[in-house]
PDB file of all heavy atoms in Angstrom:
ATOM      1  N   GLN A 241       8.635  -6.178 -13.643  1.00  0.00           N
ATOM      2  CA  GLN A 241       7.220  -6.030 -13.238  1.00  0.00           C
ATOM      3  C   GLN A 241       7.054  -5.908 -11.733  1.00  0.00           C
ATOM      4  O   GLN A 241       5.909  -5.788 -11.278  1.00  0.00           O
ATOM      5  CB  GLN A 241       6.462  -7.298 -13.740  1.00  0.00           C
ATOM      6  CG  GLN A 241       6.303  -7.306 -15.267  1.00  0.00           C
ATOM      7  CD  GLN A 241       5.553  -8.559 -15.737  1.00  0.00           C
ATOM      8  OE1 GLN A 241       5.430  -9.572 -14.931  1.00  0.00           O
ATOM      9  NE2 GLN A 241       5.146  -8.620 -16.955  1.00  0.00           N
ATOM     10  N   LEU A 242       8.143  -5.881 -10.956  1.00  0.00           N
ATOM     11  CA  LEU A 242       7.995  -5.626  -9.545  1.00  0.00           C
ATOM     12  C   LEU A 242       7.443  -4.226  -9.330  1.00  0.00           C
ATOM     13  O   LEU A 242       7.692  -3.311 -10.051  1.00  0.00           O
ATOM     14  CB  LEU A 242       9.361  -5.675  -8.847  1.00  0.00           C
ATOM     15  CG  LEU A 242       9.993  -7.079  -8.596  1.00  0.00           C
ATOM     16  CD1 LEU A 242      11.382  -7.001  -8.176  1.00  0.00           C
ATOM     17  CD2 LEU A 242       9.118  -7.904  -7.645  1.00  0.00           C
ATOM     18  N   ASN A 243       6.624  -4.164  -8.267  1.00  0.00           N
ATOM     19  CA  ASN A 243       6.123  -2.849  -7.879  1.00  0.00           C
ATOM     20  C   ASN A 243       7.211  -1.872  -7.480  1.00  0.00           C
ATOM     21  O   ASN A 243       8.331  -2.299  -7.209  1.00  0.00           O
ATOM     22  CB  ASN A 243       5.052  -2.986  -6.763  1.00  0.00           C
ATOM     23  CG  ASN A 243       5.654  -3.599  -5.541  1.00  0.00           C
ATOM     24  OD1 ASN A 243       6.133  -4.598  -5.457  1.00  0.00           O
ATOM     25  ND2 ASN A 243       5.846  -2.628  -4.533  1.00  0.00           N
ATOM     26  N   GLU A 244       6.837  -0.578  -7.373  1.00  0.00           N
ATOM     27  CA  GLU A 244       7.870   0.428  -7.177  1.00  0.00           C
ATOM     28  C   GLU A 244       8.692   0.218  -5.922  1.00  0.00           C
ATOM     29  O   GLU A 244       9.965   0.189  -6.014  1.00  0.00           O
ATOM     30  CB  GLU A 244       7.091   1.806  -7.017  1.00  0.00           C
ATOM     31  CG  GLU A 244       7.919   3.009  -6.718  1.00  0.00           C
ATOM     32  CD  GLU A 244       8.887   3.373  -7.828  1.00  0.00           C
ATOM     33  OE1 GLU A 244       8.520   3.212  -8.968  1.00  0.00           O
ATOM     34  OE2 GLU A 244       9.934   3.842  -7.513  1.00  0.00           O
ATOM     35  N   SER A 245       8.146  -0.001  -4.714  1.00  0.00           N
ATOM     36  CA  SER A 245       8.882  -0.059  -3.537  1.00  0.00           C
ATOM     37  C   SER A 245       9.801  -1.391  -3.506  1.00  0.00           C
ATOM     38  O   SER A 245      10.983  -1.285  -3.201  1.00  0.00           O
ATOM     39  CB  SER A 245       7.993  -0.154  -2.265  1.00  0.00           C
ATOM     40  OG  SER A 245       6.986  -1.122  -2.474  1.00  0.00           O
ATOM     41  N   ASN A 246       9.308  -2.543  -3.941  1.00  0.00           N
ATOM     42  CA  ASN A 246      10.109  -3.696  -4.011  1.00  0.00           C
ATOM     43  C   ASN A 246      11.172  -3.619  -5.001  1.00  0.00           C
ATOM     44  O   ASN A 246      12.241  -4.199  -4.826  1.00  0.00           O
ATOM     45  CB  ASN A 246       9.254  -4.927  -4.265  1.00  0.00           C
ATOM     46  CG  ASN A 246       8.671  -5.593  -3.019  1.00  0.00           C
ATOM     47  OD1 ASN A 246       9.212  -5.386  -1.900  1.00  0.00           O
ATOM     48  ND2 ASN A 246       7.601  -6.381  -3.199  1.00  0.00           N
ATOM     49  N   SER A 247      10.912  -2.954  -6.126  1.00  0.00           N
ATOM     50  CA  SER A 247      11.927  -2.854  -7.124  1.00  0.00           C
ATOM     51  C   SER A 247      13.181  -2.080  -6.661  1.00  0.00           C
ATOM     52  O   SER A 247      14.330  -2.399  -6.986  1.00  0.00           O
ATOM     53  CB  SER A 247      11.381  -2.324  -8.473  1.00  0.00           C
ATOM     54  OG  SER A 247      11.556  -1.004  -8.646  1.00  0.00           O
ATOM     55  N   VAL A 248      12.921  -1.052  -5.816  1.00  0.00           N
ATOM     56  CA  VAL A 248      14.157  -0.352  -5.231  1.00  0.00           C
ATOM     57  C   VAL A 248      14.894  -1.267  -4.262  1.00  0.00           C
ATOM     58  O   VAL A 248      16.113  -1.304  -4.304  1.00  0.00           O
ATOM     59  CB  VAL A 248      13.651   0.965  -4.509  1.00  0.00           C
ATOM     60  CG1 VAL A 248      14.789   1.623  -3.799  1.00  0.00           C
ATOM     61  CG2 VAL A 248      12.921   1.893  -5.450  1.00  0.00           C
ATOM     62  N   LEU A 249      14.158  -1.982  -3.436  1.00  0.00           N
ATOM     63  CA  LEU A 249      14.799  -2.976  -2.516  1.00  0.00           C
ATOM     64  C   LEU A 249      15.672  -4.014  -3.299  1.00  0.00           C
ATOM     65  O   LEU A 249      16.773  -4.383  -3.011  1.00  0.00           O
ATOM     66  CB  LEU A 249      13.818  -3.625  -1.645  1.00  0.00           C
ATOM     67  CG  LEU A 249      14.319  -4.537  -0.503  1.00  0.00           C
ATOM     68  CD1 LEU A 249      15.278  -3.815   0.404  1.00  0.00           C
ATOM     69  CD2 LEU A 249      13.188  -5.160   0.309  1.00  0.00           C
ATOM     70  N   TRP A 250      14.977  -4.508  -4.475  1.00  0.00           N
ATOM     71  CA  TRP A 250      15.711  -5.616  -5.213  1.00  0.00           C
ATOM     72  C   TRP A 250      16.988  -4.919  -5.879  1.00  0.00           C
ATOM     73  O   TRP A 250      18.004  -5.548  -6.041  1.00  0.00           O
ATOM     74  CB  TRP A 250      14.832  -6.158  -6.245  1.00  0.00           C
ATOM     75  CG  TRP A 250      15.671  -7.081  -7.188  1.00  0.00           C
ATOM     76  CD1 TRP A 250      16.034  -6.854  -8.415  1.00  0.00           C
ATOM     77  CD2 TRP A 250      16.215  -8.329  -6.808  1.00  0.00           C
ATOM     78  NE1 TRP A 250      16.853  -7.865  -8.867  1.00  0.00           N
ATOM     79  CE2 TRP A 250      16.969  -8.776  -7.914  1.00  0.00           C
ATOM     80  CE3 TRP A 250      16.194  -9.090  -5.643  1.00  0.00           C
ATOM     81  CZ2 TRP A 250      17.632  -9.983  -7.886  1.00  0.00           C
ATOM     82  CZ3 TRP A 250      16.859 -10.301  -5.639  1.00  0.00           C
ATOM     83  CH2 TRP A 250      17.600 -10.743  -6.755  1.00  0.00           C
ATOM     84  N   SER A 251      16.913  -3.641  -6.209  1.00  0.00           N
ATOM     85  CA  SER A 251      18.064  -2.988  -6.851  1.00  0.00           C
ATOM     86  C   SER A 251      19.340  -3.031  -5.963  1.00  0.00           C
ATOM     87  O   SER A 251      20.477  -3.152  -6.465  1.00  0.00           O
ATOM     88  CB  SER A 251      17.771  -1.559  -7.312  1.00  0.00           C
ATOM     89  OG  SER A 251      17.773  -0.696  -6.128  1.00  0.00           O
ATOM     90  N   VAL A 252      19.126  -3.140  -4.652  1.00  0.00           N
ATOM     91  CA  VAL A 252      20.270  -3.255  -3.740  1.00  0.00           C
ATOM     92  C   VAL A 252      20.883  -4.674  -3.945  1.00  0.00           C
ATOM     93  O   VAL A 252      22.092  -4.845  -4.046  1.00  0.00           O
ATOM     94  CB  VAL A 252      19.737  -3.118  -2.266  1.00  0.00           C
ATOM     95  CG1 VAL A 252      20.869  -3.364  -1.245  1.00  0.00           C
ATOM     96  CG2 VAL A 252      19.215  -1.672  -2.021  1.00  0.00           C
ATOM     97  N   ALA A 253      20.029  -5.694  -3.972  1.00  0.00           N
ATOM     98  CA  ALA A 253      20.559  -7.069  -4.160  1.00  0.00           C
ATOM     99  C   ALA A 253      21.183  -7.155  -5.550  1.00  0.00           C
ATOM    100  O   ALA A 253      22.268  -7.872  -5.619  1.00  0.00           O
ATOM    101  CB  ALA A 253      19.378  -8.063  -4.063  1.00  0.00           C
ATOM    102  N   ALA A 254      20.726  -6.463  -6.504  1.00  0.00           N
ATOM    103  CA  ALA A 254      21.253  -6.600  -7.858  1.00  0.00           C
ATOM    104  C   ALA A 254      22.513  -5.785  -8.046  1.00  0.00           C
ATOM    105  O   ALA A 254      23.237  -5.975  -9.066  1.00  0.00           O
ATOM    106  CB  ALA A 254      20.199  -6.074  -8.867  1.00  0.00           C
ATOM    107  N   GLY A 255      22.865  -4.969  -7.073  1.00  0.00           N
ATOM    108  CA  GLY A 255      24.160  -4.315  -7.165  1.00  0.00           C
ATOM    109  C   GLY A 255      24.122  -2.796  -7.447  1.00  0.00           C
ATOM    110  O   GLY A 255      25.151  -2.274  -7.800  1.00  0.00           O
ATOM    111  N   VAL A 256      23.034  -2.133  -7.215  1.00  0.00           N
ATOM    112  CA  VAL A 256      22.911  -0.693  -7.485  1.00  0.00           C
ATOM    113  C   VAL A 256      24.029   0.023  -6.550  1.00  0.00           C
ATOM    114  O   VAL A 256      24.303  -0.392  -5.502  1.00  0.00           O
ATOM    115  CB  VAL A 256      21.570  -0.090  -7.182  1.00  0.00           C
ATOM    116  CG1 VAL A 256      21.224  -0.113  -5.772  1.00  0.00           C
ATOM    117  CG2 VAL A 256      21.401   1.292  -7.785  1.00  0.00           C
ATOM    118  N   ASP A 257      24.719   1.040  -7.204  1.00  0.00           N
ATOM    119  CA  ASP A 257      25.800   1.728  -6.489  1.00  0.00           C
ATOM    120  C   ASP A 257      25.777   3.144  -6.981  1.00  0.00           C
ATOM    121  O   ASP A 257      25.935   3.378  -8.226  1.00  0.00           O
ATOM    122  CB  ASP A 257      27.125   1.017  -6.895  1.00  0.00           C
ATOM    123  CG  ASP A 257      28.261   1.657  -6.111  1.00  0.00           C
ATOM    124  OD1 ASP A 257      28.080   2.453  -5.265  1.00  0.00           O
ATOM    125  OD2 ASP A 257      29.386   1.311  -6.519  1.00  0.00           O
ATOM    126  N   PRO A 258      25.566   4.138  -6.158  1.00  0.00           N
ATOM    127  CA  PRO A 258      25.497   4.041  -4.740  1.00  0.00           C
ATOM    128  C   PRO A 258      24.084   3.464  -4.296  1.00  0.00           C
ATOM    129  O   PRO A 258      23.144   3.413  -5.121  1.00  0.00           O
ATOM    130  CB  PRO A 258      25.618   5.498  -4.251  1.00  0.00           C
ATOM    131  CG  PRO A 258      25.122   6.270  -5.356  1.00  0.00           C
ATOM    132  CD  PRO A 258      25.548   5.589  -6.682  1.00  0.00           C
ATOM    133  N   LEU A 259      24.000   3.109  -2.985  1.00  0.00           N
ATOM    134  CA  LEU A 259      22.647   2.637  -2.532  1.00  0.00           C
ATOM    135  C   LEU A 259      21.617   3.794  -2.568  1.00  0.00           C
ATOM    136  O   LEU A 259      22.019   4.961  -2.475  1.00  0.00           O
ATOM    137  CB  LEU A 259      22.817   2.208  -1.062  1.00  0.00           C
ATOM    138  CG  LEU A 259      23.666   0.952  -0.811  1.00  0.00           C
ATOM    139  CD1 LEU A 259      23.654   0.683   0.695  1.00  0.00           C
ATOM    140  CD2 LEU A 259      23.104  -0.250  -1.572  1.00  0.00           C
ATOM    141  N   PRO A 260      20.386   3.430  -2.751  1.00  0.00           N
ATOM    142  CA  PRO A 260      19.355   4.495  -2.777  1.00  0.00           C
ATOM    143  C   PRO A 260      19.266   5.110  -1.372  1.00  0.00           C
ATOM    144  O   PRO A 260      19.508   4.523  -0.415  1.00  0.00           O
ATOM    145  CB  PRO A 260      17.998   3.656  -3.045  1.00  0.00           C
ATOM    146  CG  PRO A 260      18.416   2.259  -3.318  1.00  0.00           C
ATOM    147  CD  PRO A 260      19.817   2.059  -2.868  1.00  0.00           C
ATOM    148  N   GLY A 261      18.833   6.381  -1.361  1.00  0.00           N
ATOM    149  CA  GLY A 261      18.579   7.031  -0.056  1.00  0.00           C
ATOM    150  C   GLY A 261      17.125   6.740   0.259  1.00  0.00           C
ATOM    151  O   GLY A 261      16.259   6.662  -0.588  1.00  0.00           O
TER     152      GLY A 261
END
Side-chain angles (χ1 to χ4, degrees):
Q241 290 176 347
L242 283 172
N243 64 291
E244 178 65 36
S245 50
N246 270 342
S247 97
V248 176
L249 185 56
W250 174 255
S251 74
V252 175
V256 71
D257 183 9
L259 294 178

